[in-house]
Amino acid sequence: MEAKRHEVVVIGAGVSGIYQIKRLTDLGIDAIVLEGDDDLGGTWYRNRYPGARFDSESYTYGYSFSKELLDEWHWNERFSAQPENLRYLNYVADKFDLRRHMRFDARVQTMTWSDTEHEWTIHLQGGEIYVATFVVTSLGPLSMPTLPRYEGIDDFAGHSFHTYHWPEEPLDLSDKRVGVIGTGATGIQVIAELADKVGELKVFQRRPNWSSPLNNGPISADEMAAIRDRYDEIFANCSASPGGFEHVPDRRGFWNLTPEQRIETWDRLYEQPGFAISAANFPAIFLDETANQEMSDYIANRIRDRVDDPQIAEKLIPRDHGFATQRLPLETRYFEAYNRDNVHLVSLADAPIERITETGIQTAAEHHDLDVIVYATGFDAITGGYDRIDIHGVGGQTLADAWRNGPSTYLGALANGFPNMFMVAGPQSVSGSTNFPRAIETGVDWLTDLLIHARNQGATRVEARAEAEQRWVAEVVRAHEKLLLRGSKGWFTGYNSNVAGHQEGTIRYQAYFGGVPKYVSIINQEAADGYPSIDLR
Ligand code: NAP
């Protein structure tokens, strides 16, 4: 089969891929997006489960690159739901006529680098071949859903699916017995939304998660007009904050205030929208165990206030990690769901799942008869999308081997041994740990500038220097070690009981926790200095 040639192949048509192709085609660069799914939208195309919505303020999540787009688009809710988010991404793609640069049902299977030709050969499932000088991987950090490895999972005779694969056709669950396994950000959204829409809901919880209110609400035309007037300020605020949000950390100092003043602060934050409860909190809660414990006790009391049955409330309070030391899920009446007669908490800490049966879930204590099982069991996060592709770099080495014990990158953007592979929101970038689109715009712009720089130099091979990569990994580890999250089990630190090698005790340094301003200053300095850490040939 004859290979199709492009200067750049972008893999993935999600939030990152859409912006990347916009930048490349604006510059007149011959580029194409290969998307494995049958349409664009990535995470917002796939995650159709009830309750799926932003937990970043909608107007900080949208793209900032086009004033016209900002003026045209009206966000209906402060935290917009999946259907609107997908409509938005389609609107962007159509407005800028980007679909004509996208190929769907184009699942990349292998990528092989030629160090003589300075090009990647890309094989798709089905046999098609593409050749490109540069490959931009915009694979998404949460695009590889993982199912538990329970015996009997294929025996279940009812309907079962991962939340990522929630059926597109409407599903009437009104008289169904539904089991949800998993209480991460996804489980917490779907459980709260399903509670009053299903016959019976059983929540299979292995470890409880801290969670606090999203405080969503509609955005009126007047409010949207005020937001439009403020867009420059909004994006500037996001760039200046560690998490890429408008929320500003409380710098008064945890220990400078009395316990009563701290409670007053938290009472206020608990009522505020989105990640205010963590991003506008005292930095000490992320760094100091005593401060974190006080905060955790505060949130535990909030859970006790909201859950009628004290025994259930205690089971919903995490004991193995402190508040916001894992990725914090935000909720809408999640805890109140457990006050309903048709909702039951099944604590797997008391009796673990033994197997899935034809008719339900068998735990060590009893059998639960179910019509539907929803797996809200998470993702092979950040590196999963890379592992799915068989990537061969210099000398035939595979990326899977190079990253077996965790990724190693320069700035989360390049990897030594894998020239001309440009990663948007890659492992060890700041994207995974912050407001995603804000960081991806920065990442796409930086990589596009690097590509232009290489072209201007006549370079056809762009590779991070090994020593620069080692320096960056050390910086990633340093930033990680400072935070209390270093001791927690969650996808931020690469934990996933369903993926071989990602278990407890094997920390994978997958995300950079130094915050947006520091990350952006580092990558901008690299560019301003003429890319000293990158070998251009
Ligand atoms: P997750 O945070 O990794 O949570 C997975 C859940 O499944 C955990 O409760 C986990 O329990 C449980 N689980 C996994 N394997 C299990 C097994 N074999 N048996 C029993 N329980 C099992 O995944 P997620 O909830 O899909 O969220 C992932 C990320 O997606 C979020 O952190 C967030 O960044 C993103 N997200 C964003 C939004 C949004 O609002 N924008 C919404 C949803 C998700 P353990 O804790 O015991 O491992």
Side-chain angles (χ1 to χ4, degrees), residues 478-499:
R478 229 185 343 266
H480 175 109
E481 290 299 327
K482 277 189 195 159
L483 298 172
L484 293 174
L485 69 77
R486 64 184 172 264
S488 70
K489 290 196 296 185
W491 68 265
F492 271 175
T493 43
Y495 170 79
N496 184 326
S497 67
N498 311 311
V499 181

Side-chain angles (χ1 to χ4, degrees), residues 34-95:
L34 302 177
E35 165 59 55
D37 257 320
D38 58 359
D39 208 341
L40 60 81
T43 206
W44 298 111
Y45 182 65
R46 273 289 141 223
N47 285 288
R48 293 162 186 268
Y49 62 85
R53 60 174 65 251
F54 292 151
D55 51 17
S56 305
E57 281 77 2
S58 309
Y59 49 85
T60 71
Y61 193 101
Y63 295 112
S64 71
F65 65 80
S66 159
K67 168 122 178 48
E68 210 176 278
L69 175 64
L70 292 168
D71 284 343
E72 283 167 8
W73 187 260
H74 182 119
W75 293 105
N76 289 304
E77 287 180 279
R78 188 178 277 272
F79 301 96
S80 161
Q82 178 271 337
E84 186 178 345
N85 306 345
L86 186 58
R87 263 197 311 279
Y88 171 75
L89 293 176
N90 276 283
Y91 181 84
V92 174
D94 293 340
K95 177 177 173 62

Side-chain angles (χ1 to χ4, degrees), residues 44 49 53-56 142 148-150 162-163 181-187 189 204 206-207 209 326-327 348 353 376-379 489 491-492 495-498:
W44 298 111
Y49 62 85
R53 60 174 65 251
F54 292 151
D55 51 17
S56 305
L142 297 160
R149 296 188 283 184
Y150 290 127
H162 192 283
T163 41
I181 304 181
T183 51
T186 303
Q189 284 186 335
F204 294 83
R206 189 165 61 184
R207 286 188 309 142
N209 237 316
Q326 289 180 184
R327 202 300 197 166
L348 302 179
I353 293 177
T377 45
F379 297 85
K489 290 196 296 185
W491 68 265
F492 271 175
Y495 170 79
N496 184 326
S497 67
N498 311 311

Side-chain angles (χ1 to χ4, degrees), residues 36 65 124 181 194 226 284 290 365 394 421 467 487 500:
F65 65 80
L124 304 192
I181 304 181
L194 288 185
T290 312
V394 176
M421 185 178 82
E467 62 278 12

